[in-house]
Amino acid sequence: MALATNATNGGLTASAELASSLSQRSAAPAPAQQLAFASSAAFGATKSARVNATSANRVQHQTRTNQPGNIRCKDYPKPDFDSEPQREAQQLSASFKNLPRPEKPLKVAIIGAGLAGLSAAKYLVDAGHIPTVYEARDVLGGKVAAWQDEDGDWYETGLHIFFGAYPNMMELFKELDIEDRLQWKEHSMIFAMPDKPGEFSRFDFPDLPAPANGVVAILRNNDMLTWPEKVLFGIGLLPAMIQGQSYVEKQDGLSISDWMRKQGVPERVNEEVFIAMAKALNFIDPWEISSTVILTAMNRFLQERHGSKMAFLDGPPTTRLCQPMVDHITQGGGQVLLEKRLKSIEVNDDGSVKCLKFQGGEEVTADVYVSAMPVDPLKLLLPPAWKADPFFQKLDGLEGVPVINVHLWFDRKLTTVDHLLFSRSKLLSVYADMSVTCKGYADENASMLELVFAPAKDWIGRSDEDIVHATMVELERLFPTEVRADGSKAKLKKSIVVKTPRSVYKAVTGRQAYRPGQTTPISNFYLAGCFTMQRYLASMEGAILSGKQCADQIASREAGRKALTGISVEEFLKRQPELATVSLVAALGVAGAAAALLVATTAATALPL
């Protein structure tokens, strides 16, 4: 699902030593065909292909029909978004156009054409300024980048899912007039059953207001949790639901596994639910991930009627989302330039940015500069004069997490469903049959599975052949009647592995205190990227919102008004890592929690299903 995707690796130049130590390129096996591509030296995604047979002629379909194997293929209408977060997103968007037009528009240089950089540029254009985006690679999108191979097949940096709980992303699609490019799926969450190969367990959300729809979805699923486990799980969640985000933020010092134990939630809930959620949200295990990340997602899912509803983009993000953003930027007077690899940030005597130097000797000056790079390359490119500043020193508390995206093309249609699937395996996070879920990749006769391989830290340096073999072994368990790792059943025609050694920031415990705002101590230098402080953490929504907040702070300052969003430098410097906090007994009392859950359960089960 890769809720974790955002800014590009734009602009990184590293020494040969850094490149060799930090970049872990995919080592294709002997018969493999290495695909040409351009990436940042140390942190960009790497990819290679393994072709097992001559690729069959590719079949493109503009519409999807019923597939073999009882596959249900149906897109659903766009949800009617009417939540407080959605209204806030609309108001923030409107604020840019409502600002007085600047007498002298700012020239803004933005490093990185991922979602964060493009978002910042889009909203700066809306405010009447002139941004130019500089991207190191020859492709848009950063961590949502996609490429075509020699057969014309698309492959991506990650498996990207668009949630109803992404208000700024939904507003962006509306503003760009591309809402019809989202293929909304049935309101369900579907998990593979490790003990029942080939079977899936569903959480189906009825058409009821939140949180009743989520409560009913949990209560009706009897495959994964027993009734006592559901009750204890529900009681454990009540403080987060009742006290809201302020409580959730204070749990950053605990992993979700530790938080569940403190709340008295059975260990089996961790095994059945949270291993899959942790790997889907940040590519790590539940004993590592901050409980703030999981509880934030669950709060959004439980408090917004359509929050957990999912959509697939109808084609590659590079062309179907990023290109419309570029078109909007250029129509407004801005520019987006590819293959502009940053060499250094030059500073004046007072520490402000003097210019950007690119490989090849080009120098760029602007009124304002924005880094929309991920945190790892940003730290490498910080000017020496800034490195002693406490603001930039705190960035050392953040680092990217490795992730691997695997694409497998088979010679036949596999029996799957038209949705995202949580694998619940030790090696795989989520996967989908893109030939079914996505119009742009549709094929009536053969499946293309896209799978997120996580946690990836022990595999990022392994060969693609090893990764593909391990994936096939897992698929043999998921599709026992159709897939064999030895190829004796469905034949693997082709595979492509995309490795990102440093993806979104690793959201382990205590990281919230290290996430800066978009404003820095440098008067003409700002930040964007999901690692910066915004409420949606390491996700596509977080990237879009970070760019939007960055634009708000730049445009508001120029217009002489107070910014509508963001935290100050002083607030960031005061933040300290959270320690273990309020227990359930202190928050509600067991009796009160049980009574509240009983009321919610009774109300939900009394409603028509």
Side-chain angles (χ1 to χ4, degrees):
M1 144 174 116
L3 299 181
T5 38
N6 72 320
T8 183
N9 304 313
L12 175 65
T13 297
S15 66
E17 291 80 6
L18 281 171
S20 63
S21 63
L22 294 176
S23 178
Q24 303 180 47
R25 291 193 173 275
S26 301
Q33 170 191 20
Q34 185 71 36
L35 298 171
F37 92 118
S39 77
S40 298
F43 301 97
T46 66
K47 54 208 176 281
S48 62
R50 198 157 57 95
V51 181
N52 296 336
T54 302
S55 297
N57 290 332
R58 191 159 154 272
V59 182
Q60 294 185 345
H61 303 278
Q62 297 303 314
T63 59
R64 291 173 24 257
T65 60
N66 290 331
Q67 311 287 349
N70 297 317
I71 299 172
R72 292 188 295 166
C73 301
K74 180 183 178 182
D75 290 339
Y76 287 74
K78 180 183 78 69
D80 181 17
F81 295 113
D82 185 24
S83 65
E84 185 59 31
Q86 196 66 48
R87 288 188 287 273
E88 290 174 359
Q90 293 167 355
Q91 291 166 4
L92 182 55
S93 289
S95 72
F96 293 101
K97 295 185 178 180
N98 292 337
L99 282 171
R101 297 300 88 180
E103 292 184 9
K104 184 181 178 183
L106 292 173
K107 290 174 57 181
V108 184
I110 301 173
I111 310 163
L115 290 181
L118 293 177
S119 172
K122 189 268 185 196
Y123 289 105
L124 284 167
V125 160
D126 289 350
H129 298 292
I130 306 173
T132 300
V133 183
Y134 299 90
E135 167 56 41
R137 299 189 293 181
D138 61 352
V139 62
L140 298 168
K143 295 185 185 68
V144 301
W147 301 264
Q148 274 184 300
D149 68 6
E150 292 182 350
D151 302 319
D153 291 314
W154 285 94
Y155 55 100
E156 306 179 10
T157 311
L159 178 51
H160 307 294
I161 301 299
F162 297 79
F163 282 89
Y166 283 179
N168 291 281
M169 181 69 83
M170 296 303 107
E171 185 64 17
L172 176 65
F173 271 83
K174 182 178 179 181
E175 292 165 16
L176 297 174
D177 194 25
I178 58 172
E179 289 178 288
D180 60 343
R181 298 185 182 186
L182 287 175
Q183 294 181 247
W184 290 98
K185 305 303 177 182
E186 189 174 9
H187 198 170
S188 302
M189 300 185 80
I190 306 174
F191 293 75
M193 299 292 287
D195 299 329
K196 299 177 181 179
E199 296 187 20
F200 300 93
S201 179
R202 300 172 61 97
F203 290 88
D204 293 316
F205 291 71
D207 189 18
L208 298 171
N213 60 350
V215 172
V216 171
I218 293 171
L219 293 177
R220 292 198 301 193
N221 182 299
N222 295 314
D223 298 324
M224 292 170 61
L225 300 177
T226 66
W227 272 91
E229 288 168 342
K230 293 176 187 177
V231 170
L232 291 172
F233 183 22
I235 291 173
L237 284 176
L238 279 172
M241 293 180 62
I242 294 172
Q243 297 183 45
Q245 196 62 25
S246 62
Y247 169 88
V248 169
E249 291 289 336
K250 292 177 182 177
Q251 308 311 305
D252 190 46
L254 293 173
S255 71
I256 192 62
S257 295
D258 290 338
W259 178 87
M260 287 193 305
R261 293 187 192 101
K262 189 186 76 166
Q263 297 299 104
V265 178
E267 186 65 28
R268 225 172 64 82
V269 176
N270 185 51
E271 298 169 0
E272 295 294 310
V273 177
F274 285 119
I275 290 177
M277 282 196 70
K279 294 203 295 184
L281 289 170
N282 198 241
F283 315 123
I284 57 179
D285 288 311
W287 45 90
E288 289 187 282
I289 196 169
S290 163
S291 58
T292 294
V293 176
I294 299 288
L295 295 176
T296 296
M298 295 201 69
N299 253 358
R300 297 275 60 82
F301 291 168
L302 289 172
Q303 294 184 13
E304 296 179 33
R305 181 173 190 162
H306 304 295
S308 57
K309 198 162 190 178
M310 303 179 217
F312 286 75
L313 194 58
D314 67 357
T318 300
T319 62
R320 303 300 287 168
L321 172 56
C322 297
Q323 188 58 51
M325 296 176 76
V326 172
D327 294 340
H328 182 95
I329 293 163
T330 55
Q331 289 165 12
Q335 296 183 84
V336 178
L337 306 176
L338 301 180
E339 298 184 89
K340 296 288 185 179
R341 191 177 298 278
L342 184 64
K343 181 179 180 182
S344 65
I345 301 171
E346 301 297 312
V347 300
N348 296 305
D349 291 341
D350 64 358
S352 62
V353 179
K354 178 182 179 181
C355 68
L356 303 178
K357 283 189 176 181
F358 292 88
Q359 279 191 352
E362 181 183 3
E363 294 188 4
V364 169
T365 60
D367 300 310
V368 176
Y369 302 83
V370 175
S371 168
M373 297 181 288
V375 68
D376 297 282
L378 169 63
K379 289 188 291 185
L380 281 179
L381 282 164
L382 286 175
W386 295 358
K387 291 187 176 181
D389 191 299
F391 180 96
F392 294 109
Q393 286 183 336
K394 284 191 78 173
L395 297 182
D396 289 337
L398 300 174
E399 66 175 9
V401 63
V403 66
I404 299 171
N405 207 45
V406 181
H407 307 72
L408 304 176
W409 283 263
F410 290 91
D411 67 346
R412 68 192 68 176
K413 209 71 178 175
L414 303 178
T415 302
T416 183
V417 294
D418 184 10
H419 215 297
L420 180 77
L421 300 169
F422 293 83
S423 77
R424 300 171 73 209
S425 84
K426 293 181 179 180
L427 294 181
L428 303 178
S429 168
V430 292
Y431 68 96
D433 187 342
M434 301 298 282
S435 71
V436 174
T437 59
C438 176
K439 292 177 183 177
Y441 305 157
D443 190 328
E444 291 183 351
N445 302 310
S447 287
M448 189 279 268
L449 298 187
E450 187 171 341
L451 311 99
V452 179
F453 198 102
K457 63 181 184 296
D458 296 330
W459 288 84
I460 198 75
R462 300 277 291 271
S463 71
D464 295 330
E465 188 169 40
D466 286 348
I467 292 168
V468 170
H469 176 72
T471 303
M472 289 294 292
V473 170
E474 290 296 304
L475 289 179
E476 181 175 328
R477 184 180 59 80
L478 293 170
F479 300 92
T481 64
E482 299 173 272
V483 175
R484 286 285 184 271
D486 61 8
S488 59
K489 293 195 174 182
K491 296 290 189 290
L492 183 62
K493 297 191 301 180
K494 178 172 64 178
S495 65
I496 296 180
V497 172
V498 182
K499 297 179 178 179
T500 307
R502 291 287 185 267
S503 181
V504 296
Y505 77 93
K506 190 175 183 180
V508 295
T509 57
R511 294 311 93 188
Q512 289 291 84
Y514 297 97
R515 298 176 61 206
Q518 290 77 37
T519 300
T520 78
I522 309 304
S523 60
N524 62 347
F525 185 72
Y526 292 77
L527 301 176
C530 74
F531 71 92
T532 63
M533 184 55 69
Q534 36 69 33
R535 69 179 72 174
Y536 291 94
L537 306 161
S539 67
M540 290 189 294
E541 170 71 8
I544 293 294
L545 181 55
S546 75
K548 203 172 182 179
Q549 291 184 177
C550 179
D552 169 47
Q553 288 157 51
I554 294 170
S556 294
R557 179 177 177 178
E558 182 65 13
R561 78 170 189 191
K562 182 179 179 180
L564 303 178
T565 63
I567 63 171
S568 68
V569 171
E570 292 73 24
E571 287 177 274
F572 170 59
L573 292 176
K574 289 178 182 177
R575 292 173 69 97
Q576 297 296 322
E578 291 287 349
L579 302 175
T581 56
V582 188
S583 70
L584 173 63
V585 174
L588 290 174
V590 173
L597 181 67
L598 179 61
V599 170
T601 302
T602 303
T605 52
L607 293 167
L609 304 183

